[in-house]
Amino acid sequence: MSETRTILLADAARNGSRRRRMPKQRTSLRHREARFGQFFISGYTLLLLAFGIIPALYALYLSFTRNGAFVGFENFTRIFADYRFWPAATHVAVYILFWLISLIVVVVALALIVHAIRVRWISASARFLYYIPGAIAGASSVMLWLFLLDPTVSPVAGLLRGFGLDTLVRTVSIDNLPVIFTIIAFWTGAGSWIVIMYGALNNIDTEVMEAARIDGANAVQTAWHIQLPMMTKWISYMGVMSLAAGTQLFVEPRILSQATRGVVPEDYSLNQLAYLYAFRQNDFSGSAAISIVLLAIALILSSIFIFRGKLFESD
């Protein structure tokens, strides 16, 4: 009896010691995780400072000065009075409107369709096919589309002529450019977003999906009431990133301008206009003012996506 009591007392002592050690172990684990987290974000923080925050602060300084002297809002007044500013701002606004609507609607719809495919190899093949155009990005994709849009060499010349576009000049007229740039951007960027949205759909709890099926919800009802609300953060993230890319429209109109010998104007977008201010007119203050305007617009619109999409709220 005394031996049993001794064993029980020893077990109790061991358990007590183990319980006292567990909070210390958890604290140590959290500290270790925090140190790893700080290590991983340190590189990004340095790059953000070097290529994001410090250049933005320098641009802010330039936008309120001229030849080193403080001039208040004079640089902003000057660019707003420039006859090229508002047409360029309109071009970018129309392009972003087309680009964001087509991206959000079509990408989400395609991701839902691919996710609903039950045959695994078909689903994987569809994701691969969507992702391939993303490998041809930037100037190379514009060069490829330049051949596609030229009815004299394009493999889809019949389709272009069907729309009355029998020359490259007519195809890349100013009125058609927002649609053309939207198609190019969608072709190069949508595939990676479809894969990301597919991953977001896979994160939805299978028990929730099973409960919807048991309740008799069809595919459309499940997508509308279950999947879309649970993808809101991912859609907001896509909106923020695409908005940032859209406001920087430069390469596409620049290459088309050179290829068409001026049919597409050199000041088509705000980024191009800022480039002309800096390197043609040697007016870095005006160029900085345009960049600050673009930054302010991007921050305001991104804030709408962040707060409406509850991007930083934890579940």
Side-chain angles (χ1 to χ4, degrees):
M1 192 69 183
S2 62
E3 289 180 359
T4 306
R5 187 177 176 182
T6 304
I7 292 170
L8 290 174
L9 287 172
D11 286 343
R14 278 198 298 273
N15 289 334
S17 174
R18 197 175 299 158
R19 278 195 294 271
R20 282 194 297 275
R21 283 200 303 270
M22 283 184 68
K24 291 182 180 177
Q25 290 173 347
R26 286 177 184 166
T27 306
S28 174
L29 179 62
R30 285 175 186 162
H31 284 165
R32 205 161 47 239
E33 289 177 346
R35 281 198 295 273
F36 273 114
Q38 291 166 359
F39 171 75
F40 281 124
I41 66 170
S42 60
Y44 172 77
T45 305
L46 289 174
L47 292 174
L48 178 66
L49 283 171
F51 300 105
I53 294 176
I54 293 175
L57 291 175
Y58 185 59
L60 188 64
Y61 163 76
L62 286 178
S63 67
F64 285 100
T65 59
R66 191 167 180 80
N67 298 324
F70 181 73
V71 294
F73 289 94
E74 183 185 314
N75 292 318
F76 292 94
T77 307
R78 188 158 44 81
I79 63 163
F80 290 148
D82 190 325
Y83 71 94
R84 300 168 296 178
F85 180 84
W86 291 110
T90 305
H91 296 154
V92 175
V94 173
Y95 161 66
I96 289 176
L97 184 68
F98 284 9
W99 163 231
L100 285 182
I101 291 176
S102 62
L103 187 74
I104 291 173
V105 173
V106 180
V107 162
V108 173
L110 288 175
L112 288 168
I113 291 170
V114 172
H115 188 262
I117 297 174
R118 297 298 174 195
V119 183
R120 194 169 179 176
W121 71 268
I122 296 178
S123 176
S125 301
R127 294 199 304 275
F128 178 69
L129 288 174
Y130 288 140
Y131 191 75
I132 286 177
I136 308 172
S140 54
S141 68
V142 183
M143 294 299 293
L144 177 63
W145 275 93
L146 197 58
F147 286 102
L148 286 174
L149 294 171
D150 188 348
T152 59
V153 294
S154 174
V156 292
L159 181 63
L160 293 173
R161 291 195 178 94
F163 285 101
L165 307 172
D166 50 0
T167 63
L168 178 62
V169 171
R170 185 169 291 182
T171 304
V172 298
S173 65
I174 295 291
D175 293 337
N176 296 337
L177 288 180
V179 176
I180 290 173
F181 292 148
T182 298
I183 293 172
I184 294 174
F186 187 87
W187 187 74
T188 55
S192 57
W193 284 117
I194 289 171
V195 174
I196 292 171
M197 291 297 156
Y198 181 86
L201 287 167
N202 280 338
N203 281 332
I204 297 176
D205 195 337
T206 53
E207 292 183 1
V208 176
M209 299 294 290
E210 191 62 30
R213 288 192 193 97
I214 292 172
D215 287 342
N218 58 32
V220 176
Q221 289 170 327
T222 303
W224 186 257
H225 296 288
I226 304 293
Q227 292 171 307
L228 281 179
M230 300 186 83
M231 292 170 65
T232 305
K233 290 183 179 179
W234 293 99
I235 296 171
S236 300
Y237 175 67
M238 179 173 66
V240 171
M241 299 303 292
S242 303
L243 179 65
T247 54
Q248 299 171 33
L249 183 65
F250 181 83
V251 173
E252 293 85 350
R254 175 85 176 161
I255 292 178
L256 283 182
S257 175
Q258 292 175 344
T260 58
R261 297 181 180 179
V263 173
V264 177
E266 290 184 326
D267 51 9
Y268 179 82
S269 71
L270 287 176
N271 256 358
Q272 286 180 286
L273 185 58
Y275 177 86
L276 293 178
Y277 262 88
F279 300 108
R280 288 275 181 85
Q281 302 170 210
N282 202 26
D283 183 355
F284 285 90
S285 295
S287 178
I290 294 174
S291 68
I292 293 299
V293 170
L294 274 173
L295 177 65
I297 293 171
L299 286 177
I300 292 170
L301 294 178
S302 297
S303 300
I304 295 173
F305 275 106
I306 289 170
F307 290 112
R308 294 288 296 176
K310 302 176 181 177
L311 193 59
F312 295 131
E313 289 188 10
S314 57
D315 294 328

